Amino acid sequence: MLQIILFLGRLLFLALAFYFLYFIVKKTSLWVNTPCETQQNGKLYLSANPGETEIVTPDGRSIAVGEFLEMPSPIRIGRQENNEVIIKDSFVSAQHAIIESDCAAWWLRDLNSKNGILHNGQPVKDRVRLEPNDRLEIAGIEFSWRR
């Protein structure tokens, strides 16, 4: 009788262990980016005069007011040369923000920048879903999001 109880206890322990592993894998897989079947491009418009600040792409093309960048996800924004949008301003972090698509929507995320990001006038604390004509402000430079 004792052997049957121990055997059932072991089975219960194994079942709980597998359920726990399943739960962990399911939760962590929500954050893994799965590639879209069709690559979506997002459009980031420069909507306000950046003054003396230079905004360029990695290939060296300068972006002027009213111009837009159409590029696939992810769109990295920052001061370093390896970003898709390079803002040459000391108030911009090396890796400031990222705009990425999960195939269903576009999302803006602050990459722990010192000076933050405003989304429609509100500070970005977490990941924010982008809608057409949303306004983004990084170091006083305004962008408009289109899809």
Side-chain angles (χ1 to χ4, degrees):
M1 184 69 170
L2 181 62
Q3 289 179 340
I4 294 173
I5 293 172
L6 287 174
F7 178 73
L8 291 175
R10 288 180 186 144
L11 283 179
L12 179 63
F13 176 77
L14 284 173
L16 288 173
F18 279 112
Y19 177 75
F20 177 74
L21 289 174
Y22 168 76
F23 179 77
I24 296 296
V25 168
K26 185 177 177 183
K27 283 294 184 186
T28 57
S29 68
L30 293 177
W31 296 104
V32 176
N33 289 335
T34 55
C36 298
E37 289 181 20
T38 59
Q39 187 66 279
Q40 295 180 330
N41 284 352
K43 295 180 182 177
L44 189 64
Y45 286 81
L46 181 59
S47 59
N49 189 345
E52 301 294 318
T53 304
E54 186 179 8
I55 302 170
V56 296
T57 60
D59 60 3
R61 182 172 72 98
S62 290
I63 309 302
V65 175
E67 284 191 288
F68 68 90
L69 297 169
E70 184 173 6
M71 50 187 64
S73 176
I75 303 169
R76 291 179 187 84
I77 303 169
R79 198 177 61 243
Q80 275 185 340
E81 299 294 323
N82 64 342
N83 292 298
E84 283 74 27
V85 179
I86 303 162
I87 303 174
K88 297 185 178 184
D89 188 300
S90 60
F91 287 105
V92 177
S93 298
Q95 299 288 324
H96 201 96
I98 188 166
I99 299 172
E100 52 197 346
S101 171
D102 65 2
C103 302
W106 285 85
W107 300 89
L108 169 67
R109 190 166 41 104
D110 189 337
L111 297 176
N112 297 321
S113 63
K114 280 191 204 175
N115 297 311
I117 305 166
L118 294 179
H119 171 256
N120 293 330
Q122 300 297 317
V124 173
K125 302 279 186 214
D126 197 11
R127 199 168 79 140
V128 175
R129 185 179 179 137
L130 292 174
E131 299 294 338
N133 300 317
D134 277 358
R135 293 181 339 275
L136 316 175
E137 186 178 329
I138 299 173
I141 300 166
E142 286 187 28
F143 295 93
S144 176
W145 175 255
R146 308 282 168 87
R147 190 168 164 182

